[in-house]
Amino acid sequence: MNQDGSGSGYSIFEGTMADMTYPEVRDAAQQGAVVLWGFGVIEQHGPHLPLATDVYLPSILLRGVKALLEKTGISSVIMPPFYWGINGVTGIFPGSFEVRPSVMVELMIDLVKSLKKDGFGQLFCISGHGDALHNRTLLDGLKRGAAEATMEAYFIGSPDFFKRLGFDPADPHTIATEREVERKSRFVDVHAGRFETSSMRRYFPDVVRSHLVAGLKPTDLGPDGLAEWRKGQQSALKMTPQGYLGDPAASDPKLGEAMLAEQTRLVADAVATKAKPRGNIRDDRTNRDLSPPIKF
Ligand SMILES: [Zn+2]
Protein backbone atom coordinates (compact mmCIF):
# COMPACT_ATOMS: atom_id res chain seq x y z
CA MET A 1 0.00 0.00 0.00
CA ASN A 2 1.21 3.52 -0.73
CA GLN A 3 1.52 6.17 1.97
CA ASP A 4 -1.66 7.90 0.79
CA GLY A 5 -3.65 4.66 1.20
CA SER A 6 -3.81 3.89 -2.52
CA GLY A 7 -2.06 0.82 -3.69
CA SER A 8 -1.85 -2.39 -5.57
CA GLY A 9 -3.03 -4.87 -2.93
CA TYR A 10 -5.26 -7.77 -3.88
CA SER A 11 -8.91 -6.90 -4.42
CA ILE A 12 -11.64 -9.49 -4.02
CA PHE A 13 -13.69 -7.27 -6.36
CA GLU A 14 -11.18 -7.81 -9.19
CA GLY A 15 -13.00 -9.11 -12.24
CA THR A 16 -16.40 -9.08 -10.49
CA MET A 17 -19.60 -7.11 -11.03
CA ALA A 18 -18.43 -4.77 -8.26
CA ASP A 19 -15.86 -3.29 -10.63
CA MET A 20 -18.36 -2.99 -13.51
CA THR A 21 -20.67 -0.04 -14.16
CA TYR A 22 -24.44 -0.37 -14.22
CA PRO A 23 -24.73 -0.08 -18.03
CA GLU A 24 -22.17 -2.87 -18.33
CA VAL A 25 -24.20 -5.05 -15.94
CA ARG A 26 -27.42 -4.24 -17.80
CA ASP A 27 -25.84 -5.14 -21.16
CA ALA A 28 -24.39 -8.39 -19.79
CA ALA A 29 -27.80 -9.46 -18.50
CA GLN A 30 -29.43 -8.58 -21.81
CA GLN A 31 -26.86 -10.68 -23.65
CA GLY A 32 -27.76 -13.69 -21.50
CA ALA A 33 -24.70 -13.77 -19.26
CA VAL A 34 -24.78 -16.39 -16.53
CA VAL A 35 -23.75 -15.45 -12.99
CA LEU A 36 -20.84 -17.11 -11.17
CA TRP A 37 -20.69 -16.76 -7.40
CA GLY A 38 -17.97 -17.82 -4.97
CA PHE A 39 -18.79 -18.51 -1.32
CA GLY A 40 -16.11 -18.24 1.33
CA VAL A 41 -15.83 -17.11 4.92
CA ILE A 42 -13.50 -14.99 7.00
CA GLU A 43 -11.88 -17.65 9.14
CA GLN A 44 -8.56 -18.37 10.81
CA HIS A 45 -6.16 -20.21 8.51
CA GLY A 46 -3.20 -20.96 10.76
CA PRO A 47 -0.41 -18.55 11.62
CA HIS A 48 0.71 -18.30 7.98
CA LEU A 49 -2.38 -17.66 5.81
CA PRO A 50 -4.81 -14.71 5.90
CA LEU A 51 -8.35 -15.00 7.22
CA ALA A 52 -9.75 -14.47 3.71
CA THR A 53 -8.06 -17.53 2.18
CA ASP A 54 -11.44 -19.17 1.44
CA VAL A 55 -12.53 -15.97 -0.31
CA TYR A 56 -9.37 -15.38 -2.33
CA LEU A 57 -9.19 -18.89 -3.79
CA PRO A 58 -12.73 -19.06 -5.27
CA SER A 59 -12.09 -15.56 -6.67
CA ILE A 60 -9.08 -16.63 -8.70
CA LEU A 61 -10.86 -19.82 -9.75
CA LEU A 62 -13.90 -18.01 -11.08
CA ARG A 63 -11.76 -15.58 -13.11
CA GLY A 64 -10.34 -18.61 -14.88
CA VAL A 65 -13.77 -20.21 -15.32
CA LYS A 66 -15.12 -16.99 -16.84
CA ALA A 67 -12.26 -16.90 -19.37
CA LEU A 68 -12.80 -20.55 -20.37
CA LEU A 69 -16.56 -20.11 -20.76
CA GLU A 70 -16.04 -17.05 -22.92
CA LYS A 71 -14.17 -19.22 -25.45
CA THR A 72 -17.29 -21.30 -26.02
CA GLY A 73 -19.61 -18.34 -26.34
CA ILE A 74 -20.95 -18.47 -22.79
CA SER A 75 -20.91 -14.98 -21.32
CA SER A 76 -20.66 -14.66 -17.57
CA VAL A 77 -20.36 -12.14 -14.80
CA ILE A 78 -18.88 -12.84 -11.38
CA MET A 79 -20.82 -11.84 -8.26
CA PRO A 80 -18.82 -10.08 -5.55
CA PRO A 81 -17.85 -12.91 -3.20
CA PHE A 82 -20.01 -13.95 -0.27
CA TYR A 83 -17.80 -13.89 2.78
CA TRP A 84 -19.88 -13.84 5.97
CA GLY A 85 -20.69 -17.45 6.77
CA ILE A 86 -20.69 -20.28 9.25
CA ASN A 87 -17.54 -21.36 11.06
CA GLY A 88 -18.83 -24.14 13.27
CA VAL A 89 -15.45 -25.90 13.36
CA THR A 90 -12.92 -23.11 13.92
CA GLY A 91 -15.16 -20.33 15.17
CA ILE A 92 -13.39 -20.36 18.53
CA PHE A 93 -10.19 -18.92 17.04
CA PRO A 94 -9.64 -15.15 16.83
CA GLY A 95 -10.60 -13.76 13.43
CA SER A 96 -13.24 -16.38 12.63
CA PHE A 97 -16.56 -14.58 12.16
CA GLU A 98 -19.88 -16.36 12.48
CA VAL A 99 -23.38 -15.64 11.29
CA ARG A 100 -26.48 -17.68 12.02
CA PRO A 101 -27.66 -19.99 9.21
CA SER A 102 -31.02 -18.18 9.13
CA VAL A 103 -29.23 -14.87 8.49
CA MET A 104 -27.18 -16.36 5.67
CA VAL A 105 -30.29 -17.82 4.03
CA GLU A 106 -32.24 -14.56 4.24
CA LEU A 107 -29.31 -12.58 2.82
CA MET A 108 -28.91 -15.04 -0.04
CA ILE A 109 -32.61 -14.82 -0.91
CA ASP A 110 -32.36 -11.04 -1.22
CA LEU A 111 -29.20 -11.19 -3.31
CA VAL A 112 -30.64 -13.78 -5.71
CA LYS A 113 -33.73 -11.59 -6.07
CA SER A 114 -31.44 -8.66 -6.92
CA LEU A 115 -29.90 -10.69 -9.74
CA LYS A 116 -33.34 -11.56 -11.04
CA LYS A 117 -34.33 -7.90 -10.94
CA ASP A 118 -31.30 -7.13 -13.13
CA GLY A 119 -32.48 -9.68 -15.70
CA PHE A 120 -30.10 -12.58 -15.02
CA GLY A 121 -31.54 -16.06 -15.42
CA GLN A 122 -28.89 -18.58 -14.35
CA LEU A 123 -26.68 -18.69 -11.26
CA PHE A 124 -23.77 -21.07 -10.57
CA CYS A 125 -22.20 -21.18 -7.09
CA ILE A 126 -18.99 -22.70 -5.78
CA SER A 127 -17.71 -22.99 -2.22
CA GLY A 128 -14.21 -22.30 -0.92
CA HIS A 129 -15.01 -23.42 2.62
CA GLY A 130 -15.41 -26.98 3.89
CA ASP A 131 -17.64 -26.51 6.98
CA ALA A 132 -20.60 -28.88 6.57
CA LEU A 133 -23.24 -26.61 8.09
CA HIS A 134 -22.02 -23.69 5.98
CA ASN A 135 -22.45 -25.67 2.77
CA ARG A 136 -25.81 -27.15 3.71
CA THR A 137 -26.96 -23.63 4.48
CA LEU A 138 -25.58 -22.45 1.14
CA LEU A 139 -27.69 -25.04 -0.68
CA ASP A 140 -30.71 -24.14 1.43
CA GLY A 141 -30.31 -20.42 0.67
CA LEU A 142 -29.79 -21.15 -3.00
CA LYS A 143 -32.98 -23.19 -3.22
CA ARG A 144 -35.00 -20.61 -1.32
CA GLY A 145 -33.58 -17.79 -3.45
CA ALA A 146 -34.19 -19.69 -6.67
CA ALA A 147 -37.78 -20.43 -5.68
CA GLU A 148 -38.63 -16.93 -4.55
CA ALA A 149 -36.92 -15.24 -7.52
CA THR A 150 -37.96 -17.94 -10.03
CA MET A 151 -34.39 -18.27 -11.21
CA GLU A 152 -32.23 -21.25 -12.15
CA ALA A 153 -29.55 -21.77 -9.51
CA TYR A 154 -26.93 -24.48 -9.04
CA PHE A 155 -24.28 -25.44 -6.48
CA ILE A 156 -21.20 -26.95 -8.15
CA GLY A 157 -18.89 -29.18 -6.11
CA SER A 158 -16.86 -32.35 -6.29
CA PRO A 159 -18.53 -35.78 -5.89
CA ASP A 160 -16.69 -36.56 -2.63
CA PHE A 161 -17.53 -33.17 -1.18
CA PHE A 162 -21.23 -33.54 -1.93
CA LYS A 163 -21.20 -37.07 -0.55
CA ARG A 164 -19.69 -35.87 2.76
CA LEU A 165 -22.41 -33.21 2.96
CA GLY A 166 -25.09 -35.83 2.37
CA PHE A 167 -26.48 -34.14 -0.73
CA ASP A 168 -28.85 -36.19 -2.88
CA PRO A 169 -27.03 -36.89 -6.20
CA ALA A 170 -30.36 -36.33 -7.97
CA ASP A 171 -30.89 -32.90 -6.42
CA PRO A 172 -31.67 -30.59 -9.37
CA HIS A 173 -29.88 -27.70 -7.64
CA THR A 174 -26.50 -29.44 -7.48
CA ILE A 175 -23.98 -30.27 -10.22
CA ALA A 176 -21.15 -32.60 -9.26
CA THR A 177 -17.92 -32.13 -11.19
CA GLU A 178 -16.81 -35.05 -13.30
CA ARG A 179 -14.09 -36.08 -10.83
CA GLU A 180 -12.00 -34.91 -7.90
CA VAL A 181 -9.01 -32.67 -8.42
CA GLU A 182 -5.98 -34.84 -7.78
CA ARG A 183 -4.60 -33.99 -4.32
CA LYS A 184 -1.81 -36.17 -3.02
CA SER A 185 -0.46 -35.72 0.48
CA ARG A 186 1.24 -37.87 3.12
CA PHE A 187 -1.11 -36.46 5.73
CA VAL A 188 -4.81 -35.75 6.05
CA ASP A 189 -4.86 -32.19 4.77
CA VAL A 190 -8.08 -30.22 4.93
CA HIS A 191 -7.40 -26.79 6.35
CA ALA A 192 -4.56 -24.33 5.67
CA GLY A 193 -2.28 -27.28 4.91
CA ARG A 194 -0.33 -28.32 1.80
CA PHE A 195 -3.11 -27.54 -0.66
CA GLU A 196 -4.44 -24.18 0.42
CA THR A 197 -0.92 -22.98 1.22
CA SER A 198 0.29 -24.02 -2.26
CA SER A 199 -2.51 -22.07 -3.93
CA MET A 200 -2.08 -18.99 -1.78
CA ARG A 201 1.69 -18.96 -2.33
CA ARG A 202 1.12 -19.14 -6.08
CA TYR A 203 -1.64 -16.54 -6.48
CA PHE A 204 -1.59 -14.30 -3.40
CA PRO A 205 2.00 -14.50 -2.09
CA ASP A 206 2.01 -11.02 -0.57
CA VAL A 207 -0.47 -12.05 2.13
CA VAL A 208 1.25 -15.35 3.01
CA ARG A 209 3.59 -15.21 6.03
CA SER A 210 6.17 -17.11 3.98
CA HIS A 211 8.88 -17.02 6.64
CA LEU A 212 6.71 -19.20 8.91
CA VAL A 213 5.76 -21.90 6.40
CA ALA A 214 8.91 -24.06 6.49
CA GLY A 215 8.76 -24.32 10.30
CA LEU A 216 5.18 -25.63 10.52
CA LYS A 217 5.08 -29.31 11.44
CA PRO A 218 2.45 -31.61 9.84
CA THR A 219 -0.53 -32.32 12.08
CA ASP A 220 -0.67 -36.02 11.15
CA LEU A 221 -4.28 -36.74 12.16
CA GLY A 222 -5.98 -39.95 11.06
CA PRO A 223 -9.68 -40.34 10.22
CA ASP A 224 -10.61 -40.45 13.93
CA GLY A 225 -8.64 -37.28 14.60
CA LEU A 226 -10.32 -35.59 11.65
CA ALA A 227 -13.76 -36.61 12.95
CA GLU A 228 -12.87 -35.24 16.38
CA TRP A 229 -11.64 -31.97 14.77
CA ARG A 230 -14.89 -31.64 12.83
CA LYS A 231 -16.83 -31.56 16.11
CA GLY A 232 -15.43 -28.06 16.23
CA GLN A 233 -14.81 -25.36 18.80
CA GLN A 234 -12.83 -26.81 21.78
CA SER A 235 -12.21 -30.05 19.85
CA ALA A 236 -10.68 -28.12 16.94
CA LEU A 237 -8.56 -26.09 19.33
CA LYS A 238 -7.35 -29.27 21.06
CA MET A 239 -6.60 -31.20 17.86
CA THR A 240 -5.01 -28.28 15.96
CA PRO A 241 -3.80 -25.67 18.47
CA GLN A 242 -2.08 -23.74 15.66
CA GLY A 243 -5.21 -23.70 13.49
CA TYR A 244 -4.07 -25.63 10.42
CA LEU A 245 -4.80 -29.30 9.67
CA GLY A 246 -2.31 -30.71 7.21
CA ASP A 247 1.21 -30.09 6.03
CA PRO A 248 1.81 -26.46 5.02
CA ALA A 249 5.59 -26.95 4.82
CA ALA A 250 5.05 -29.40 1.92
CA SER A 251 3.33 -26.66 -0.11
CA ASP A 252 4.55 -25.74 -3.58
CA PRO A 253 3.29 -22.89 -5.78
CA LYS A 254 3.54 -25.17 -8.84
CA LEU A 255 1.13 -27.61 -7.20
CA GLY A 256 -1.19 -24.68 -6.51
CA GLU A 257 -1.15 -23.76 -10.18
CA ALA A 258 -1.76 -27.31 -11.40
CA MET A 259 -4.67 -27.85 -9.00
CA LEU A 260 -6.28 -24.56 -9.97
CA ALA A 261 -5.97 -25.31 -13.70
CA GLU A 262 -7.67 -28.67 -13.25
CA GLN A 263 -10.39 -27.34 -11.01
CA THR A 264 -11.05 -24.46 -13.41
CA ARG A 265 -11.68 -26.92 -16.24
CA LEU A 266 -13.91 -29.13 -14.08
CA VAL A 267 -16.04 -26.22 -12.89
CA ALA A 268 -16.30 -24.72 -16.39
CA ASP A 269 -17.41 -28.13 -17.71
CA ALA A 270 -20.05 -28.29 -14.97
CA VAL A 271 -21.37 -24.82 -15.84
CA ALA A 272 -21.44 -25.70 -19.54
CA THR A 273 -23.78 -28.64 -18.89
CA LYS A 274 -26.54 -26.12 -18.10
CA ALA A 275 -25.50 -22.72 -19.40
CA LYS A 276 -27.04 -21.36 -22.53
CA PRO A 277 -24.54 -19.98 -25.06
CA ARG A 278 -25.10 -16.79 -27.04
CA GLY A 279 -25.68 -18.83 -30.19
CA ASN A 280 -24.20 -21.64 -32.15
CA ILE A 281 -20.47 -21.17 -31.84
CA ARG A 282 -18.15 -22.87 -34.29
CA ASP A 283 -14.40 -23.22 -34.22
CA ASP A 284 -13.12 -21.32 -37.29
CA ARG A 285 -10.42 -23.84 -38.04
CA THR A 286 -12.15 -27.17 -37.56
CA ASN A 287 -15.78 -26.08 -37.93
CA ARG A 288 -16.40 -28.07 -34.75
CA ASP A 289 -19.58 -27.10 -32.92
CA LEU A 290 -18.45 -25.49 -29.68
CA SER A 291 -21.91 -25.12 -28.23
CA PRO A 292 -22.23 -26.68 -24.77
CA PRO A 293 -21.99 -29.27 -23.43
CA ILE A 294 -18.31 -29.10 -24.14
CA LYS A 295 -15.20 -30.34 -22.39
CA PHE A 296 -12.30 -28.00 -21.78
ZN1 LIG B 1 -9.78 -22.73 3.79
Side-chain angles (χ1 to χ4, degrees):
M1 192 163 68
N2 299 323
Q3 275 186 342
D4 66 357
S6 68
S8 56
Y10 305 120
S11 169
I12 55 168
F13 289 147
E14 172 105 32
T16 76
M17 294 168 78
D19 278 353
M20 295 168 72
T21 65
Y22 88 82
E24 289 165 359
V25 170
R26 177 196 59 207
D27 293 351
Q30 280 177 359
Q31 286 159 17
V34 303
V35 181
L36 310 173
W37 196 4
F39 280 73
V41 284
I42 307 293
E43 176 199 23
Q44 74 80 14
H45 269 76
H48 60 302
L49 296 182
L51 303 178
T53 293
D54 289 354
V55 184
Y56 281 125
L57 295 179
S59 298
I60 190 82
L61 175 77
L62 289 183
R63 285 177 224 158
V65 170
K66 179 176 163 60
L68 272 187
L69 291 173
E70 193 59 42
K71 287 186 187 170
T72 68
I74 298 171
S75 299
S76 61
V77 295
I78 304 174
M79 272 281 269
F82 189 101
Y83 60 83
W84 298 124
I86 297 157
N87 286 310
V89 177
T90 74
I92 199 166
F93 284 84
S96 292
F97 289 83
E98 291 215 69
V99 302
R100 285 159 286 156
S102 58
V103 172
M104 181 167 161
V105 167
E106 294 296 330
L107 180 56
M108 284 183 66
I109 292 169
D110 287 352
L111 295 174
V112 175
K113 281 181 176 171
S114 300
L115 290 173
K116 175 73 175 188
K117 177 263 297 174
D118 290 347
F120 293 102
Q122 288 187 307
L123 171 62
F124 298 89
C125 302
I126 60 160
S127 174
H129 177 48
D131 187 290
L133 182 58
H134 177 84
N135 289 289
R136 290 182 190 126
T137 305
L138 197 170
L139 183 61
D140 191 21
L142 195 68
K143 287 180 177 180
R144 295 269 309 277
E148 293 197 25
T150 56
M151 184 162 172
E152 273 183 56
Y154 306 97
F155 185 177
I156 297 173
S158 81
D160 283 358
F161 182 49
F162 281 178
K163 200 170 155 194
R164 174 164 71 83
L165 297 170
F167 288 176
D168 177 356
D171 189 321
H173 288 283
T174 62
I175 309 173
T177 54
E178 195 179 301
R179 59 179 185 279
E180 304 294 316
V181 171
E182 194 177 353
R183 289 151 61 104
K184 285 189 187 144
S185 174
R186 283 180 59 204
F187 302 98
V188 172
D189 199 300
V190 301
H191 183 68
R194 171 170 154 85
F195 304 118
E196 283 188 310
T197 306
S198 293
S199 300
M200 288 301 290
R201 286 179 61 197
R202 168 61 183 82
Y203 294 101
F204 303 97
D206 294 356
V207 287
V208 176
R209 298 345 182 229
S210 306
H211 61 288
L212 298 178
V213 171
L216 299 175
K217 293 198 170 60
T219 49
D220 199 10
L221 295 187
D224 290 349
L226 180 61
E228 178 65 21
W229 181 80
R230 284 201 166 121
K231 289 182 188 165
Q233 306 298 338
Q234 289 294 347
S235 294
L237 190 59
K238 188 180 82 198
M239 302 305 287
T240 61
Q242 291 212 76
Y244 63 90
L245 200 171
D247 191 7
S251 61
D252 178 352
K254 286 200 193 89
L255 173 67
E257 184 168 324
M259 288 189 306
L260 187 94
E262 193 182 357
Q263 200 185 359
T264 301
R265 279 193 302 275
L266 288 168
V267 172
D269 279 342
V271 172
T273 61
K274 301 282 183 192
K276 297 169 182 83
R278 287 189 299 260
N280 244 21
I281 309 293
R282 288 196 174 272
D283 185 301
D284 292 343
R285 226 164 10 88
T286 62
N287 202 33
R288 188 165 71 104
D289 187 356
L290 292 179
S291 308
I294 184 144
K295 297 273 184 279
F296 293 101

Short mmCIF file of all heavy atoms in Angstrom, two decimals, residues 31 67-75 272 275-294 296:
data_model
loop_
_atom_site.label_atom_id
_atom_site.label_comp_id
_atom_site.label_asym_id
_atom_site.label_seq_id
_atom_site.Cartn_x
_atom_site.Cartn_y
_atom_site.Cartn_z
N GLN A 31 -27.51 -9.73 -22.74
CA GLN A 31 -26.86 -10.68 -23.65
C GLN A 31 -26.91 -12.12 -23.12
O GLN A 31 -26.31 -13.02 -23.70
CB GLN A 31 -25.40 -10.26 -23.88
CG GLN A 31 -25.29 -9.04 -24.77
CD GLN A 31 -23.95 -8.31 -24.60
OE1 GLN A 31 -23.01 -8.89 -24.06
NE2 GLN A 31 -23.89 -7.07 -25.05
N ALA A 67 -13.05 -16.96 -18.14
CA ALA A 67 -12.26 -16.90 -19.37
C ALA A 67 -12.49 -18.14 -20.23
O ALA A 67 -12.61 -18.05 -21.46
CB ALA A 67 -10.78 -16.75 -19.02
N LEU A 68 -12.56 -19.32 -19.60
CA LEU A 68 -12.80 -20.55 -20.37
C LEU A 68 -14.19 -20.54 -21.01
O LEU A 68 -14.36 -20.92 -22.17
CB LEU A 68 -12.68 -21.78 -19.47
CG LEU A 68 -11.32 -22.42 -19.28
CD1 LEU A 68 -11.48 -23.72 -18.49
CD2 LEU A 68 -10.66 -22.71 -20.62
N LEU A 69 -15.19 -20.13 -20.23
CA LEU A 69 -16.56 -20.11 -20.76
C LEU A 69 -16.67 -19.17 -21.95
O LEU A 69 -17.38 -19.45 -22.93
CB LEU A 69 -17.54 -19.67 -19.66
CG LEU A 69 -17.75 -20.65 -18.50
CD1 LEU A 69 -18.61 -20.01 -17.42
CD2 LEU A 69 -18.40 -21.94 -18.99
N GLU A 70 -15.97 -18.06 -21.85
CA GLU A 70 -16.04 -17.05 -22.92
C GLU A 70 -15.63 -17.66 -24.26
O GLU A 70 -16.20 -17.35 -25.31
CB GLU A 70 -15.13 -15.87 -22.56
CG GLU A 70 -15.32 -14.63 -23.39
CD GLU A 70 -16.73 -14.05 -23.34
OE1 GLU A 70 -17.35 -14.00 -22.25
OE2 GLU A 70 -17.23 -13.66 -24.41
N LYS A 71 -14.66 -18.59 -24.21
CA LYS A 71 -14.17 -19.22 -25.45
C LYS A 71 -15.24 -20.03 -26.16
O LYS A 71 -15.13 -20.30 -27.35
CB LYS A 71 -12.99 -20.15 -25.13
CG LYS A 71 -11.72 -19.44 -24.80
CD LYS A 71 -10.60 -20.46 -24.65
CE LYS A 71 -9.34 -19.80 -24.14
NZ LYS A 71 -8.32 -20.79 -23.77
N THR A 72 -16.23 -20.50 -25.40
CA THR A 72 -17.29 -21.30 -26.02
C THR A 72 -18.55 -20.49 -26.26
O THR A 72 -19.61 -21.04 -26.57
CB THR A 72 -17.68 -22.51 -25.14
OG1 THR A 72 -18.32 -22.01 -23.97
CG2 THR A 72 -16.49 -23.33 -24.78
N GLY A 73 -18.45 -19.18 -26.08
CA GLY A 73 -19.61 -18.34 -26.34
C GLY A 73 -20.56 -18.20 -25.16
O GLY A 73 -21.67 -17.71 -25.31
N ILE A 74 -20.12 -18.67 -23.99
CA ILE A 74 -20.95 -18.47 -22.79
C ILE A 74 -20.44 -17.23 -22.06
O ILE A 74 -19.32 -17.21 -21.55
CB ILE A 74 -20.88 -19.70 -21.85
CG1 ILE A 74 -21.42 -20.94 -22.55
CG2 ILE A 74 -21.67 -19.42 -20.56
CD1 ILE A 74 -21.20 -22.23 -21.77
N SER A 75 -21.29 -16.19 -22.05
CA SER A 75 -20.91 -14.98 -21.32
C SER A 75 -21.22 -15.17 -19.85
O SER A 75 -22.19 -15.83 -19.49
CB SER A 75 -21.72 -13.78 -21.80
OG SER A 75 -21.49 -13.55 -23.14
N ALA A 272 -21.04 -25.54 -18.13
CA ALA A 272 -21.44 -25.70 -19.54
C ALA A 272 -22.51 -26.77 -19.74
O ALA A 272 -23.15 -26.80 -20.79
CB ALA A 272 -20.20 -26.03 -20.38
N ALA A 275 -25.47 -24.10 -18.94
CA ALA A 275 -25.50 -22.72 -19.40
C ALA A 275 -25.90 -22.63 -20.87
O ALA A 275 -25.55 -23.49 -21.67
CB ALA A 275 -24.14 -22.07 -19.20
N LYS A 276 -26.61 -21.57 -21.15
CA LYS A 276 -27.04 -21.36 -22.53
C LYS A 276 -26.05 -20.42 -23.22
O LYS A 276 -25.78 -19.33 -22.72
CB LYS A 276 -28.44 -20.76 -22.54
CG LYS A 276 -29.47 -21.70 -21.92
CD LYS A 276 -30.81 -21.00 -21.67
CE LYS A 276 -31.78 -21.95 -21.00
NZ LYS A 276 -31.60 -22.03 -19.54
N PRO A 277 -25.49 -20.84 -24.35
CA PRO A 277 -24.54 -19.98 -25.06
C PRO A 277 -25.28 -18.87 -25.81
O PRO A 277 -26.49 -18.90 -25.95
CB PRO A 277 -23.86 -20.92 -26.04
CG PRO A 277 -24.90 -21.95 -26.32
CD PRO A 277 -25.72 -22.08 -25.07
N ARG A 278 -24.50 -17.91 -26.30
CA ARG A 278 -25.10 -16.79 -27.04
C ARG A 278 -25.67 -17.23 -28.37
O ARG A 278 -26.47 -16.57 -28.97
CB ARG A 278 -24.04 -15.71 -27.27
CG ARG A 278 -23.70 -14.94 -26.02
CD ARG A 278 -22.83 -13.75 -26.37
NE ARG A 278 -21.58 -14.17 -26.97
CZ ARG A 278 -20.44 -14.27 -26.32
NH1 ARG A 278 -20.39 -13.97 -25.05
NH2 ARG A 278 -19.33 -14.65 -26.92
N GLY A 279 -25.21 -18.35 -28.90
CA GLY A 279 -25.68 -18.83 -30.19
C GLY A 279 -24.84 -20.02 -30.56
O GLY A 279 -24.06 -20.50 -29.76
N ASN A 280 -25.02 -20.52 -31.75
CA ASN A 280 -24.20 -21.64 -32.15
C ASN A 280 -22.78 -21.16 -32.45
O ASN A 280 -22.57 -20.37 -33.35
CB ASN A 280 -24.79 -22.30 -33.40
CG ASN A 280 -25.23 -23.70 -33.10
OD1 ASN A 280 -25.45 -24.04 -31.94
ND2 ASN A 280 -25.35 -24.51 -34.13
N ILE A 281 -21.84 -21.63 -31.68
CA ILE A 281 -20.47 -21.17 -31.84
C ILE A 281 -19.68 -22.27 -32.54
O ILE A 281 -19.73 -23.43 -32.15
CB ILE A 281 -19.82 -20.90 -30.46
CG1 ILE A 281 -20.70 -20.00 -29.62
CG2 ILE A 281 -18.44 -20.33 -30.62
CD1 ILE A 281 -20.86 -18.60 -30.13
N ARG A 282 -18.96 -21.87 -33.58
CA ARG A 282 -18.15 -22.87 -34.29
C ARG A 282 -16.69 -22.46 -34.29
O ARG A 282 -16.37 -21.29 -34.40
CB ARG A 282 -18.64 -23.04 -35.73
CG ARG A 282 -19.96 -23.75 -35.77
CD ARG A 282 -20.31 -24.27 -37.15
NE ARG A 282 -21.53 -25.05 -37.03
CZ ARG A 282 -21.56 -26.35 -36.74
NH1 ARG A 282 -20.43 -27.02 -36.59
NH2 ARG A 282 -22.70 -26.98 -36.60
N ASP A 283 -15.84 -23.46 -34.14
CA ASP A 283 -14.40 -23.22 -34.22
C ASP A 283 -14.06 -22.91 -35.68
O ASP A 283 -14.40 -23.68 -36.59
CB ASP A 283 -13.66 -24.49 -33.76
CG ASP A 283 -12.16 -24.27 -33.69
OD1 ASP A 283 -11.58 -23.94 -34.75
OD2 ASP A 283 -11.58 -24.45 -32.62
N ASP A 284 -13.41 -21.77 -35.92
CA ASP A 284 -13.12 -21.32 -37.29
C ASP A 284 -12.30 -22.34 -38.07
O ASP A 284 -12.49 -22.55 -39.26
CB ASP A 284 -12.33 -20.00 -37.27
CG ASP A 284 -13.19 -18.87 -36.74
OD1 ASP A 284 -14.43 -19.06 -36.73
OD2 ASP A 284 -12.65 -17.84 -36.36
N ARG A 285 -11.37 -22.96 -37.37
CA ARG A 285 -10.42 -23.84 -38.04
C ARG A 285 -11.05 -25.20 -38.37
O ARG A 285 -10.96 -25.68 -39.50
CB ARG A 285 -9.21 -24.05 -37.10
CG ARG A 285 -7.87 -23.92 -37.75
CD ARG A 285 -6.75 -23.75 -36.72
NE ARG A 285 -7.13 -23.97 -35.34
CZ ARG A 285 -7.10 -25.15 -34.73
NH1 ARG A 285 -6.69 -26.21 -35.37
NH2 ARG A 285 -7.47 -25.25 -33.47
N THR A 286 -11.68 -25.79 -37.39
CA THR A 286 -12.15 -27.17 -37.56
C THR A 286 -13.64 -27.25 -37.88
O THR A 286 -14.15 -28.31 -38.20
CB THR A 286 -11.93 -27.96 -36.25
OG1 THR A 286 -12.71 -27.34 -35.24
CG2 THR A 286 -10.47 -27.96 -35.85
N ASN A 287 -14.33 -26.13 -37.75
CA ASN A 287 -15.78 -26.08 -37.93
C ASN A 287 -16.51 -26.94 -36.89
O ASN A 287 -17.65 -27.31 -37.07
CB ASN A 287 -16.19 -26.52 -39.35
CG ASN A 287 -17.57 -25.95 -39.69
OD1 ASN A 287 -17.92 -24.86 -39.25
ND2 ASN A 287 -18.34 -26.70 -40.45
N ARG A 288 -15.78 -27.27 -35.80
CA ARG A 288 -16.40 -28.07 -34.75
C ARG A 288 -17.42 -27.21 -34.00
O ARG A 288 -17.17 -26.03 -33.73
CB ARG A 288 -15.30 -28.53 -33.77
CG ARG A 288 -15.77 -29.54 -32.74
CD ARG A 288 -14.56 -30.21 -32.08
NE ARG A 288 -13.85 -29.29 -31.20
CZ ARG A 288 -13.93 -29.33 -29.87
NH1 ARG A 288 -14.66 -30.22 -29.28
NH2 ARG A 288 -13.23 -28.49 -29.13
N ASP A 289 -18.55 -27.82 -33.69
CA ASP A 289 -19.58 -27.10 -32.92
C ASP A 289 -19.11 -26.95 -31.48
O ASP A 289 -18.89 -27.95 -30.79
CB ASP A 289 -20.89 -27.89 -32.99
CG ASP A 289 -22.04 -27.11 -32.36
OD1 ASP A 289 -21.79 -26.00 -31.82
OD2 ASP A 289 -23.17 -27.59 -32.44
N LEU A 290 -18.95 -25.73 -31.04
CA LEU A 290 -18.45 -25.49 -29.68
C LEU A 290 -19.57 -25.20 -28.70
O LEU A 290 -19.32 -24.82 -27.55
CB LEU A 290 -17.46 -24.32 -29.68
CG LEU A 290 -16.13 -24.56 -30.39
CD1 LEU A 290 -15.28 -23.32 -30.34
CD2 LEU A 290 -15.39 -25.72 -29.77
N SER A 291 -20.81 -25.38 -29.15
CA SER A 291 -21.91 -25.12 -28.23
C SER A 291 -21.86 -26.14 -27.10
O SER A 291 -21.52 -27.29 -27.30
CB SER A 291 -23.25 -25.27 -28.95
OG SER A 291 -23.23 -24.48 -30.12
N PRO A 292 -22.24 -25.73 -25.88
CA PRO A 292 -22.23 -26.68 -24.77
C PRO A 292 -23.21 -27.82 -25.02
O PRO A 292 -24.16 -27.62 -25.79
CB PRO A 292 -22.68 -25.84 -23.58
CG PRO A 292 -22.44 -24.43 -24.01
CD PRO A 292 -22.63 -24.41 -25.49
N PRO A 293 -23.07 -28.98 -24.38
CA PRO A 293 -21.99 -29.27 -23.43
C PRO A 293 -20.66 -29.51 -24.13
O PRO A 293 -20.62 -30.16 -25.17
CB PRO A 293 -22.48 -30.53 -22.73
CG PRO A 293 -23.38 -31.19 -23.71
CD PRO A 293 -24.02 -30.10 -24.49
N ILE A 294 -19.64 -28.96 -23.55
CA ILE A 294 -18.31 -29.10 -24.14
C ILE A 294 -17.32 -29.37 -23.03
O ILE A 294 -17.52 -28.96 -21.90
CB ILE A 294 -17.94 -27.82 -24.90
CG1 ILE A 294 -16.60 -27.98 -25.61
CG2 ILE A 294 -17.85 -26.62 -23.98
CD1 ILE A 294 -16.57 -27.27 -26.92
N PHE A 296 -13.45 -28.88 -21.60
CA PHE A 296 -12.30 -28.00 -21.78
C PHE A 296 -10.99 -28.77 -21.68
O PHE A 296 -10.86 -29.66 -20.92
CB PHE A 296 -12.33 -26.89 -20.73
CG PHE A 296 -13.49 -25.98 -20.93
CD1 PHE A 296 -14.62 -26.12 -20.16
CD2 PHE A 296 -13.47 -25.04 -21.94
CE1 PHE A 296 -15.71 -25.29 -20.35
CE2 PHE A 296 -14.56 -24.22 -22.14
CZ PHE A 296 -15.69 -24.35 -21.34
#
